[in-house]
Amino acid sequence: MRRFITLTCATPVLVVIAAVTGTVPATGGLVPAPAASPPLGDEYYTPVELNRGLLTAADLPNGYTALDGDAAGSVNVLDTDACAVSGFSELNGPSAIQTTAVRRVFGHEDGSTLAFQLLAVGPEAVARWVSYTADPPTTCPVVTGEGYTIENTALPLPGLGDGAAGMIRVSRHEHEAPTRRHSATVGWGAVVLTVEETRTTEQNQARFVAMVGSAARQVRRIAAGPSADDLRRGLLTLADLPAGFRIVADDTVESRAVLTEKDCAGAVRQFGDERLAARRTFGKGRATVSVVVAVNPSGYGLIGAMGSRVRDCPEGVAAAPSVATDMFVGGIIYQDEPPVLRGITPYREVISDVRVTVTDGLDLAAADEIRGAALRATWNVYE
């Protein structure tokens, strides 16, 4: 899914800057060069970050070895159906959905096979996916057909709450020995974790439940959103700025204190929260560049507040130059002395807020290039 273009008029901005600073930035009347779309993959998560939520052989009890056939990328995944003889299916079909998924498979020396899979299904679909495992022990405790009798019973998963479900599936064929499979599904945020152990035994049940708990704790690293280190990857660096700048501060700040805009009455409107945000500030004479990257899904509210201030109470502010991008971005110019250009870029779960003073040889064109660099740097959070 691509973001919408936000268009503002550049001409009044040049007039405002000229009035405040006495100079007109050298833009040549050109529309800014388009900024490439970020590497979205899908709306939620990419294979690179999903893989960070999977366990490795080192995280498992002794006896496990990684097997070939791990899959990463965009795959077709059928709805799991434990009320059918075929059970869980990952074949292409009419009800398949397109999503981002990663998978890791291990074999144990006792002959069982263990598979972990993470799927970025989106927050609206998580409960439905958990129900694929939670419902069959009640809706279809016994399934028959094609010579099979299959029993589906619930498998308790202590400590994982309502957003998790486990199931034991024992299949008996009239001419074959019974087979046992342990299954679990855990939902967190926009992500679903599925764990399956096949060719297993009742003696392995406690081991399986413990590994599901470990896997659920690991996936929280992904579903809970970017870490502080992830946010720092979205900050500008000296390489992104004109020569002569230096770093004057590199710290964290509560996003509630900085992700704000004032209304027409001068009251501060809050769009941050109590979580810490990464911040870096650069200086060159009187010119400063400050960028904050924070987890903040409500960045669009901040953009709306900036637009309302320009539209409804323009004294002291002006619209920022348009940005040629298909992302939904925002900008404003505070007519202080010296003026400050501010740019806002919401990208997935994070927001980037950059402020650039227009002074000491740093004109609006150069400031807007820095604004564009901050937009692109935001994408690094998810690399």
Side-chain angles (χ1 to χ4, degrees):
M1 180 184 294
R2 296 306 187 192
R3 303 294 194 261
F4 301 104
I5 298 176
T6 299
L7 296 178
T8 57
C9 181
T11 303
V13 177
L14 303 181
V15 174
V16 169
I17 293 294
V20 175
T21 66
T23 61
V24 177
T27 63
L30 300 177
V31 176
S37 298
L40 283 176
D42 65 32
E43 186 66 14
Y44 300 101
Y45 298 91
T46 64
V48 171
E49 60 188 319
L50 280 181
N51 268 306
R52 283 188 270 161
L54 290 175
L55 298 179
T56 67
D59 302 313
L60 302 178
N62 293 334
Y64 282 100
T65 304
L67 302 179
D68 293 335
D70 296 359
S74 187
V75 297
N76 286 322
V77 182
L78 264 179
D79 293 349
T80 55
D81 185 6
C83 290
V85 171
S86 58
F88 287 28
S89 174
E90 295 185 19
L91 303 175
N92 293 332
S95 61
I97 61 171
Q98 193 76 8
T99 188
T100 298
V102 294
R103 183 176 177 86
R104 197 163 289 168
V105 184
F106 304 89
H108 194 273
E109 57 191 19
D110 64 12
S112 62
T113 299
L114 182 68
F116 298 94
Q117 184 166 254
L118 283 178
L119 305 103
V121 299
E124 298 84 5
V126 165
R128 184 172 73 250
W129 274 80
V130 174
S131 73
Y132 297 150
T133 304
D135 293 348
T138 301
T139 58
C140 54
V142 179
V143 179
T144 59
E146 303 176 22
Y148 285 93
T149 299
I150 299 170
E151 297 177 356
N152 296 319
T153 58
L155 174 61
L157 300 174
L160 294 185
D162 295 336
M167 184 171 64
I168 302 166
R169 184 175 172 89
V170 178
S171 176
R172 294 178 173 86
H173 191 273
E174 53 190 6
H175 301 303
E176 298 174 5
T179 60
R180 183 184 180 98
R181 180 173 68 201
H182 298 147
S183 302
T185 304
V186 183
W188 187 270
V191 174
V192 162
L193 164 72
T194 67
V195 189
E196 297 176 20
E197 185 179 42
T198 55
R199 297 194 299 274
T200 189
T201 64
E202 185 177 356
Q203 288 71 31
N204 290 341
Q205 181 174 314
R207 183 183 70 187
F208 175 80
V209 170
M211 290 187 296
V212 171
S214 297
R217 288 188 291 273
Q218 178 80 354
V219 79
R220 288 191 180 193
R221 296 178 51 211
I222 305 303
S227 66
D229 288 340
D230 295 329
L231 295 177
R232 301 198 71 78
R233 289 200 302 270
L235 295 172
L236 292 170
T237 68
L238 286 172
D240 300 312
L241 304 180
F245 275 91
R246 60 186 180 87
I247 297 176
V248 297
D250 204 345
D251 55 11
T252 58
V253 62
E254 190 178 85
S255 67
R256 184 184 298 273
V258 292
L259 299 182
T260 65
E261 183 54 270
K262 294 180 179 179
D263 60 20
C264 292
V268 171
R269 301 178 64 178
Q270 298 282 359
F271 290 94
D273 57 28
E274 68 278 1
R275 285 181 287 192
L276 292 180
R279 179 175 63 178
R280 186 171 292 155
T281 304
F282 307 84
K284 179 185 177 183
R286 290 196 306 157
T288 60
V289 175
S290 181
V291 60
V292 171
V293 179
V295 175
N296 188 67
S298 61
Y300 303 102
L302 182 57
I303 291 176
M306 293 164 60
S308 296
R309 185 172 177 188
V310 171
R311 182 184 64 252
D312 300 333
C313 44
E315 183 177 355
V317 297
S322 60
V323 176
T325 178
D326 59 0
M327 294 181 68
F328 190 89
V329 299
I332 193 171
I333 294 177
Y334 301 113
Q335 299 181 53
D336 301 328
E337 177 52 47
V340 176
L341 170 65
R342 183 183 188 186
I344 299 292
T345 303
Y347 176 41
R348 295 164 69 172
E349 297 171 281
V350 303
I351 184 172
S352 173
D353 183 353
V354 61
R355 305 186 191 212
V356 186
T357 55
V358 184
T359 186
D360 283 7
L362 194 67
D363 62 15
L364 180 60
D368 206 41
E369 288 182 5
I370 295 172
R371 176 188 174 201
L375 180 157
R376 293 185 294 273
T378 308
W379 309 342
N380 296 332
V381 171
Y382 293 94
E383 286 190 351

